Amino acid sequence: MSERESMPYDVVIVGGGPAGLSTAIRLKQVDPELSVVVLEKGSEIGAHILSGAVVDPKSLDELLPTWREDGCPMAETPVTDNWHWHLTRGKKYAMPHIIMPPFMSNDGNYTGSLGNLCRWLAEQAEALEVEVFPGFSASEVLFDESGAVRGVVAGVMGIDREGNKKPDFEPGMELLGKYTVFCEGARGHLTKRLKAQFNLEADCQPQIYGLGIKELWDIDPDKHVPGRVIHTQGWPMSESDSWGGGFLYHQANNQVALGFVTALDYKNPYVYPFEEFQRWKQHPDIRAMLEGGKRVAYGARVINEGGWQSVPKLAFPGGVLAGCSAGFVNVPRIKGTHTAMKSGMLAAEAIAAAIKSGREQDSLDEYDTAVRESWIAKELKLVQNAEPLVAKWGGEMGTILAGADMWLRTLFGFGIAKPMKHHTDASATDRADHYRPIEYPKPDGVISFDRLTSVSYSFTNHEEDQPVHLVLKDSDYPLRTELPVYAGPSTRYCPAGVYEYVRNEDTGAMRFQINSQNCVHCKTCDIKDPGQQIEWTAPEGGGGPNYPNM
């Protein structure tokens, strides 16, 4: 391979989401002389960002106090109306706000595109002379002789499907930093390696996840209520041995963001999260809002659901984890932007102080301590048993117990149980012979749609002649185990139709096919595959979805 050029910085940040950009901005606020670079694998900042989103402005207020007056798109739509519905097949029941802990209120929050918020944050970072490199995928962590992180390799391009160099081959660059901050989002591929390398999860529970599938719709202006926020639970998950919930947010310009989150610890391998979402849209009260409207975008991404007990050690020689790479989502609130941003700010402050004192590539344990003494920890400890109680006792009884636990922690500082344990989502998957296949309704092409048509609304594109970035560790595993034992759940849990079993018409033989061009980088396969044989790795920079304003 050609010799790589290297570029030295004070701080290298992997990931141009809310955490990474907040880290960069805070670094420059503390010390304008620091050299800072942000690497983003999407074709532009925001291209791979997907969230509901309803944002608690707590961290924005701290980082950039005049954001409301400075053109931030999130300021367009404050939350004006907040509902929580329990759904049955044909009805809805509004849950009174008085039974919910005060922190569940959305008063003072804002709804809008998290991707557009990141685009605006990138402008603020660049105005402070942060270097932002979109389309620059970090594919490898670099270590020094002592084992400390010294940076990453990014920008490797021009390798064909068989691993050969093409005429436009680029070996990538070494981006070297005194400290490297990993803000890759949930289930980051480099973060996964770092957790193993430094045993960062030795003293915490395994991280668990939900799969969020989202659409944007332009709806009838007469049905649009700017700032209205609706969350649902119950049907249809109540019928499929799984749990999760829906959301519908009325945002700017007569647009609604709607979606469905399926907890990935479901047992029944026949559960099909994409189809659960399509069923949910057909509920009379959801359908009524969408009729006469038009879908304009689609996407999917996993969400951390492990809570406080799944937060790993955050610092290691030469680097730190921040944002959803570490896992700071408040599951009952369905919010993680404010905690992700705050973690990035705390990382920046610790890094700037360390560099000022002449340190580099050591372990910033003071950052780990700062997070654990911050309001991030206080907020997440209040809700740390909500997810495991629902997972253990089911949607109805679990919700009651979770509510009781949150109220007790809010009022008295203790819950109905000690911090509960998790098991991995992969290990939760049960054998197919314990269940019957689920028959999902066919799409009507008006409210519900098929999966491949939906993927076209994510504007996903990958260079076809490149190595398949979804690596199957054991090529015999799908036909030996995944299909006969689990009925091929990869063909259902993937929201982009990446995996399929294809039968040869002449011989009748079956083969496993990976359509990696479809991948929307949600990371579900890396998480849910019961044999943990599928590994998500980085494709060429710029590949993947191109979300306009998700």
Side-chain angles (χ1 to χ4, degrees):
M1 183 172 284
S2 303
E3 184 177 351
R4 294 187 177 113
E5 296 182 15
S6 63
M7 295 179 66
Y9 292 90
D10 289 314
V11 186
V12 175
I13 300 170
V14 181
L21 293 166
S22 297
T23 306
I25 291 168
R26 179 60 103 207
L27 282 165
K28 285 292 195 175
Q29 289 174 337
V30 174
D31 185 352
E33 300 305 312
L34 289 172
S35 59
V36 181
V37 63
V38 175
L39 308 177
E40 167 54 43
K41 66 183 175 66
S43 60
E44 64 171 353
I45 294 293
H48 289 178
I49 295 292
L50 183 144
S51 178
V54 172
V55 173
D56 183 332
K58 187 173 186 176
S59 293
L60 261 176
D61 288 339
E62 182 181 340
L63 182 66
L64 297 164
T66 60
W67 64 274
R68 293 172 183 83
E69 295 79 44
D70 292 343
C72 178
M74 192 58 69
E76 289 184 59
T77 315
V79 173
T80 58
D81 193 12
N82 186 32
W83 293 91
H84 195 117
W85 295 344
H86 179 84
L87 302 183
T88 61
R89 178 180 285 270
K91 295 182 180 180
K92 72 174 189 295
Y93 299 91
M95 297 176 67
H97 293 171
I98 196 170
I99 70 172
M100 300 181 191
F103 60 76
M104 293 293 287
S105 169
N106 276 305
D107 290 346
N109 296 332
Y110 294 78
T111 182
S113 163
L114 191 62
N116 287 343
L117 172 61
C118 289
R119 292 178 177 97
W120 183 81
L121 287 172
E123 292 173 1
Q124 312 314 302
E126 289 178 319
L128 296 171
E129 299 187 343
V130 172
E131 293 185 36
V132 179
F133 293 165
F136 221 60
S137 183
S139 55
E140 180 184 343
V141 181
L142 297 170
F143 301 91
D144 66 14
E145 297 80 5
S146 70
V149 173
R150 65 186 186 97
V152 296
V153 174
V156 178
M157 308 280 282
I159 298 176
D160 69 19
R161 202 172 182 86
E162 283 71 44
N164 303 308
K165 298 175 186 177
K166 296 190 287 188
D168 61 348
F169 171 72
E170 294 288 344
M173 300 191 69
E174 294 185 351
L175 288 300
L176 307 178
K178 295 175 181 176
Y179 294 98
T180 304
V181 186
F182 294 87
C183 306
E184 300 179 281
R187 196 67 167 198
H189 73 290
L190 297 183
T191 299
K192 181 180 172 183
R193 298 174 196 173
L194 290 165
K195 285 180 175 181
Q197 176 91 3
F198 294 106
N199 200 21
L200 300 180
E201 295 182 304
D203 298 318
C204 71
Q205 291 297 304
Q207 186 59 258
I208 56 175
Y209 301 86
L211 170 59
I213 303 177
K214 177 183 174 181
E215 292 177 348
L216 285 179
W217 283 65
D218 292 330
I219 67 166
D220 182 342
D222 291 338
K223 299 179 180 180
H224 191 255
V225 183
R228 172 165 288 178
V229 166
I230 300 169
H231 293 109
T232 79
Q233 64 183 79
W235 188 88
M237 308 301 282
S238 55
E239 297 182 2
S240 62
D241 197 40
S242 56
W243 67 277
F247 63 87
L248 196 150
Y249 305 151
H250 290 245
Q251 299 177 344
N253 304 315
N254 296 318
Q255 201 162 73
V256 295
L258 64 149
F260 203 82
V261 179
T262 301
L264 288 176
D265 63 351
Y266 59 81
K267 297 178 181 179
N268 184 345
Y270 290 111
V271 168
Y272 197 153
F274 174 85
E275 294 293 353
E276 295 290 342
F277 175 37
Q278 303 308 309
R279 279 211 296 173
W280 175 80
K281 286 189 292 177
Q282 295 288 5
H283 187 278
D285 290 283
I286 304 299
R287 184 182 178 100
M289 281 181 273
L290 301 179
E291 285 179 326
K294 179 183 178 182
R295 181 177 65 160
V296 296
Y298 168 87
R301 189 70 170 91
V302 296
I303 305 164
N304 295 304
E305 291 192 339
W308 184 247
Q309 56 266 59
S310 294
V311 173
K313 184 178 180 183
L314 301 173
F316 44 89
V320 299
L321 305 181
C324 284
S325 279
F328 298 120
V329 173
N330 184 321
V331 178
R333 294 187 74 197
I334 322 179
K335 290 177 180 61
T337 301
H338 64 304
T339 49
M341 292 178 67
K342 180 62 176 178
S343 70
M345 293 153 64
L346 292 172
E349 291 160 7
I351 289 169
I355 292 175
K356 186 175 182 180
S357 67
R359 294 163 55 191
E360 60 180 82
Q361 292 174 354
D362 59 352
S363 185
L364 288 164
D365 295 329
E366 60 269 39
Y367 161 61
D368 190 284
T369 300
V371 169
R372 297 178 193 279
E373 294 178 351
S374 72
W375 58 257
I376 297 174
K378 182 178 180 181
E379 178 176 326
L380 295 185
K381 286 178 181 179
L382 288 175
V383 301
Q384 63 184 329
N385 277 345
E387 190 282 340
L389 281 168
V390 176
K392 181 176 178 64
W393 296 100
E396 295 187 6
M397 179 57 70
T399 297
I400 294 170
L401 293 172
D405 190 86
M406 290 188 291
W407 266 115
L408 285 170
R409 290 176 185 275
T410 300
L411 296 174
F412 304 112
F414 61 86
I416 63 175
K418 294 180 179 180
M420 297 174 68
K421 296 181 179 181
H422 298 309
H423 49 67
T424 66
D425 296 316
S427 67
T429 313
D430 202 353
R431 297 175 56 94
D433 57 9
H434 294 168
Y435 302 88
R436 293 181 179 179
I438 301 171
E439 292 190 17
Y440 289 98
K442 292 183 178 180
D444 61 15
V446 177
I447 302 297
S448 56
F449 306 95
D450 68 88
R451 189 167 50 175
L452 292 183
T453 300
S454 296
V455 173
S456 70
Y457 282 82
S458 70
F459 312 105
T460 294
N461 183 58
H462 292 90
E463 166 61 47
E464 288 199 24
D465 191 16
Q466 66 171 304
V468 174
H469 68 277
L470 301 157
V471 177
L472 189 60
K473 299 176 187 176
D474 178 356
S475 60
D476 294 329
Y477 163 76
L479 293 174
R480 185 187 66 241
T481 304
E482 204 236 9
L483 183 60
V485 177
Y486 300 102
S490 60
T491 64
R492 291 178 290 277
Y493 60 58
C494 174
V498 168
Y499 304 101
E500 62 178 324
Y501 286 90
V502 180
R503 188 179 297 279
N504 185 299
E505 293 183 1
D506 296 327
T507 66
M510 194 78 78
R511 64 182 175 86
F512 185 63
Q513 181 165 296
I514 301 177
N515 305 306
S516 58
Q517 299 95 327
N518 291 2
C519 179
V520 296
H521 298 197
C522 73
K523 310 294 182 67
T524 304
C525 55
D526 196 289
I527 295 163
K528 185 59 177 171
D529 171 49
Q532 289 293 275
Q533 292 297 316
I534 300 172
E535 183 171 13
W536 194 97
T537 63
E540 283 190 4
N546 283 281
Y547 297 135
N549 56 336
M550 296 284 264

